[in-house]
């Protein structure tokens, strides 16, 4: 094969690969629930294997945050920001629940390594991630997209965030709770 043809084929292949998005677009059948809707209920295992249900937190504000992967940079930053603000969330009658497609064992290792004390929920079958329209793909990996749902004490979604900035998100959620409690 001659060099110009090989080069042309290589350029065409790179162009095709560059045109393929790293994150897939959500399908219509796994759309996000919207503000004002009842939050989809669930029960998932936490880092210690204990089943955690949304229903057990009726009467509290629930910060349900989805994140891509244990022990990755952005997810660690986001988890530490929530951990550092736990006293403020407690004072607002709010709980933090993190969800990813990782296993309970992965969550346990992440919590131990990073000193996290709130609940991380394992959804390797993607049931809750799907119910909240937060399933994503990064190259060959299936992950949870970085989305958060604020659920009021009556079980309604009152605020949602997509593609959050992990370094400031905890403060955004606290401000939203304070505003909604007025």
């Amino acid at each position: 094969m001659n060099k110009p043809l090989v080069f042309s084929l290589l350029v065409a292949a790179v162009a095709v690969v560059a045109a393929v998005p790293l994150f897939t677009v959500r399908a219509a059948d796994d759309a996000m629930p919207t503000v004002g809707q009842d939050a989809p209920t669930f029960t998932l295992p936490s880092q210690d294997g204990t089943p955690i249900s949304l229903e057990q937190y009726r009467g509290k504000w629930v910060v349900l945050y989805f994140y891509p992967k244990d022990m990755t940079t952005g997810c660690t930053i986001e988890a530490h920001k929530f951990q550092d603000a736990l006293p403020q969330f407690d004072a607002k009658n709010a709980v933090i629940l993190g969800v990813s497609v990782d296993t309970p064992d992965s969550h346990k290792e992440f919590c131990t390594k990073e000193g996290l004390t709130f609940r991380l929920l394992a959804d390797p079958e993607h049931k809750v991630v799907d119910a909240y329209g937060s399933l994503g793909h990064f190259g060959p990996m299936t992950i949870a997209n970085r989305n958060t749902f604020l659920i009021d004490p009556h079980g309604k979604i009152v605020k949602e965030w997509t593609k959050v900035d992990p370094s400031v998100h905890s403060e955004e959620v606290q401000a939203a709770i304070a505003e909604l409690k007025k």
Side-chain angles (χ1 to χ4, degrees), residues 8 15 17 28 36 52 62 91 93 111 113 115 122-124 146 155 162 170:
S8 295
V17 170
I52 301 297
V62 176
N93 193 35
C111 289
K113 180 179 181 217
D123 189 17
R146 197 179 303 281
T162 60
S170 174

Side-chain angles (χ1 to χ4, degrees), residues 31-148:
M32 281 187 186
T34 58
V35 170
Q37 274 186 264
D38 286 337
T41 60
F42 60 82
T43 301
L44 289 173
S46 70
Q47 66 266 32
D48 63 5
T50 304
I52 301 297
S53 160
L54 180 61
E55 204 50 44
Q56 74 191 69
Y57 294 106
R58 275 294 163 114
K60 291 186 168 280
W61 293 88
V62 176
V63 178
L64 183 65
Y65 86 96
F66 293 89
Y67 67 98
K69 186 106 181 96
D70 290 340
M71 293 176 270
T72 57
T73 303
C75 299
T76 300
I77 290 168
E78 187 173 24
H80 276 287
K81 294 290 187 172
F82 279 123
Q83 180 68 41
D84 293 346
L86 274 182
Q88 291 90 338
F89 283 106
D90 287 343
K92 292 174 175 62
N93 193 35
V95 298
I96 308 295
L97 299 175
V99 180
S100 80
V101 299
D102 294 309
T103 64
D105 287 341
S106 177
H107 286 342
K108 183 176 185 176
E109 183 181 342
F110 186 39
C111 289
T112 300
K113 180 179 181 217
E114 300 299 333
L116 306 175
T117 59
F118 58 89
R119 298 291 186 165
L120 294 182
L121 309 181
D123 189 17
E125 295 176 7
H126 315 152
K127 291 179 181 176
V128 176
V129 175
D130 278 341
Y132 282 83
S134 295
L135 187 64
H137 300 281
F138 186 73
M141 294 176 19
T142 300
I143 60 169
N145 287 326
R146 197 179 303 281
N147 299 328
T148 300

Side-chain angles (χ1 to χ4, degrees), residues 6-29:
V6 171
F7 181 74
S8 295
L9 290 173
L10 181 59
V11 169
V14 168
V16 168
V17 170
V20 175
L22 288 177
F23 288 94
T24 59
V25 176
R26 249 188 335 273
D29 61 347

